[in-house]
Amino acid sequence: MELRIASSSGALLRPAFSPIAGLRPRPSPSLQIQNHIYSMPNLRHKAHAAVGCQAVVATKYMETPEIVDLDWENLGFGLVDTDFMYMAKCGLDGNFSKGEMVPFGPIALSPSAGVLNYGQGLFEGLKAYRKADGSVLLFRPEENAIRMINGSDRMCMPAPTMEQFVDAVKQTVLANKRWVPPTDKGSLYIRPLLIGSGAILGLAPAPEYTFLIYVSPVGNYFKEGLAPINLIIEDNFHRAAPGGTGGVKTIGNYASVLKAQRTAKEKGYSDVLYLDAVHNKYLEEVSSCNIFVVKGNTISTPAIEGTILPGITRKSIIKVAESKGYKVEERPVSVDELLDADEVFCTGTAVVVSPVGSITYLGKRVEYDGNQGVGVVSQQLYTSLTSLQMGHTEDQMGWTMQLN
């Protein structure tokens, strides 16, 4: 069943195309979602002026290959314009509309939108993987829904229900299925956004909210891949403080780390590790990753107490590590423990597991030994989790969701 779009003239309405290096211009795709026809009444087209949004003269999209022609071997962690995105609105009644698939592209916002003026916004990140049989797997989307619901309460925003969130993710992935990389060549990164799109001048919750999901095929977040990264501990700037929003995935948490991160990268480091804002001695997290410290058979990670994002990969790695016999402790972890560790690694949706090759603190550099810098524990946990995510091994945790 192909996607059909309202038009009185029968003209082909195609998603906007933005040239990308290494990407061939794409024909318009067919869209198959649970055998339902999806219309797009809010597409702007001159034909609408004559017939209105209710016109139903179908235009058929061309059939396209199952997978787009990309240089999958050199796919980095950057934006690739795909075909469709999901959008739903919520007004003062607190209820989200039935979402729809629209062509990927710019969205219109008032200059007085709550997200632009007061930062009222949240985002999530999760991935879809292609199995060897061509089917697609999602990894724990309900956890992302729960985190968005919890975060929206802190940011005074309505949130889509878990059911709508998961259904919207499914729709968006299926609409862009041809962009899911081949097995072992990467993943489809999924970015749900919840923003205060309504116009507001005084400091107050926005009168309207937009729930939007777009996707992009990605490779490794760090250019090193599963190779050691080099971190520097930041002792001047802090990422979050008790009572703030460090524990929710609000957009403002990320702009504040850019200055320290840029300075670190200019000095040759991969990223920055932050300390707590009270004692300036306990580990918090890397710019967008959680941190783990290994000593013997014990794996320690900072406890979730309001200043650290409750990462879904973090949560998953803890369970995988415990299933393999490791003792996992969630507690305050000091810099001294970090510098004396056998092994250190980071976790996150984008990186999955990223081994740390060195830590630099107050001018002192500590290096961690391993097989070419990759520790035994990091390698074991990375292999176990990614094999489950990609469908290479049986999912005994019940974490994956097969779409077709």
Side-chain angles (χ1 to χ4, degrees):
M1 192 74 70
E2 290 86 20
L3 171 68
R4 300 176 182 272
I5 297 182
S7 168
S8 64
S9 65
L12 181 63
L13 304 184
R14 303 175 65 172
F17 171 72
S18 299
I20 300 170
L23 175 61
R24 299 178 184 176
R26 60 182 186 267
S28 301
S30 63
L31 173 58
Q32 302 180 30
I33 304 179
Q34 298 177 351
N35 293 325
H36 291 300
I37 298 176
Y38 283 76
S39 62
M40 297 182 183
N42 63 349
L43 280 176
R44 298 295 180 252
H45 189 272
K46 61 183 180 181
H48 289 174
V51 298
C53 292
Q54 299 304 313
V56 211
V57 178
T59 297
K60 186 175 180 180
Y61 273 53
M62 297 188 304
E63 293 290 339
T64 59
E66 183 70 14
I67 301 177
V68 294
D69 185 13
L70 275 181
D71 182 4
W72 300 112
E73 298 296 335
N74 296 302
L75 185 63
F77 198 91
L79 180 65
V80 175
D81 288 3
T82 50
D83 297 317
F84 297 99
M85 60 187 184
Y86 174 96
M87 188 178 293
K89 299 280 187 177
C90 176
L92 293 173
D93 63 359
N95 297 316
F96 279 86
S97 64
K98 182 179 180 181
E100 59 184 350
M101 303 306 305
V102 299
F104 176 85
I107 61 174
L109 282 177
S110 165
S112 191
V115 65
L116 298 180
N117 291 263
Y118 301 116
Q120 201 180 20
L122 295 164
F123 74 91
E124 280 296 323
L126 62 158
K127 290 179 176 179
Y129 298 86
R130 188 181 296 274
K131 294 178 63 177
D133 64 4
S135 62
V136 176
L137 290 179
L138 295 177
F139 183 72
R140 309 192 78 177
E142 70 286 347
E143 292 289 339
N144 295 90
I146 292 170
R147 189 166 64 181
M148 177 170 278
I149 291 169
N150 291 338
S152 67
D153 180 67
R154 177 64 176 85
M155 299 300 292
C156 204
M157 304 168 71
T161 64
M162 181 190 296
E163 292 75 18
Q164 182 173 13
F165 182 101
V166 173
D167 180 65
V169 169
K170 290 179 181 178
Q171 289 188 42
T172 312
V173 172
L174 288 172
N176 296 283
K177 183 182 175 184
R178 70 197 192 108
W179 296 92
V180 182
T183 305
D184 298 328
K185 300 298 182 182
S187 58
L188 188 71
Y189 188 85
I190 306 161
R191 172 55 59 83
L193 282 168
L194 179 61
I195 60 174
S197 52
I200 189 81
L201 186 59
L203 179 58
E208 177 198 77
Y209 296 87
T210 298
F211 176 44
L212 186 150
I213 304 177
Y214 66 91
V215 298
S216 176
V218 297
N220 292 319
Y221 182 80
F222 289 116
K223 67 180 186 302
E224 298 91 337
L226 187 64
I229 61 172
N230 301 301
L231 302 179
I232 183 170
I233 294 178
E234 176 58 56
D235 59 342
N236 290 316
F237 297 107
H238 292 94
R239 177 187 167 275
T245 58
V248 300
K249 207 166 175 65
T250 181
I251 59 177
N253 289 348
Y254 295 85
S256 62
V257 307
L258 295 178
K259 183 177 178 64
Q261 187 185 63
R262 182 179 66 183
T263 300
K265 290 186 176 183
E266 288 172 349
K267 295 178 180 179
Y269 298 102
S270 306
D271 214 325
V272 175
L273 173 60
Y274 290 89
L275 301 178
D276 75 288
V278 177
H279 306 284
N280 211 37
K281 64 176 285 189
Y282 295 105
L283 310 185
E284 290 269 290
E285 61 179 88
V286 182
S287 300
S288 58
C289 307
N290 295 117
I291 189 97
F292 287 78
V293 173
V294 182
K295 188 68 174 178
N297 196 55
T298 300
I299 302 175
S300 303
T301 190
I304 302 296
E305 295 181 345
T307 58
I308 298 172
L309 188 72
I312 294 163
T313 306
R314 172 191 182 276
K315 183 177 182 178
S316 304
I317 282 293
I318 288 173
K319 290 298 183 183
V320 171
E322 289 174 338
S323 74
K324 295 187 175 301
Y326 292 102
K327 179 183 178 183
V328 181
E329 297 179 345
E330 298 180 71
R331 59 174 178 79
V333 181
S334 69
V335 172
D336 291 340
E337 292 180 77
L338 173 74
L339 301 179
D340 188 47
D342 298 332
E343 189 177 336
V344 179
F345 62 87
C346 302
T347 66
T349 297
V351 303
V352 186
V353 173
S354 188
V356 175
S358 73
I359 294 283
T360 299
Y361 179 52
L362 300 179
K364 178 183 177 181
R365 179 184 174 102
V366 173
E367 297 188 350
Y368 303 97
D369 296 328
N371 179 21
Q372 297 183 333
V374 180
V376 173
V377 178
S378 301
Q379 180 69 67
Q380 183 183 26
L381 297 179
Y382 173 84
T383 300
S384 296
L385 188 57
T386 55
S387 294
L388 186 155
Q389 290 174 327
M390 298 177 188
H392 295 330
T393 58
E394 183 182 355
D395 177 13
Q396 297 181 344
M397 300 289 192
W399 289 342
T400 57
M401 181 180 293
Q402 185 162 314
L403 296 190
N404 54 342

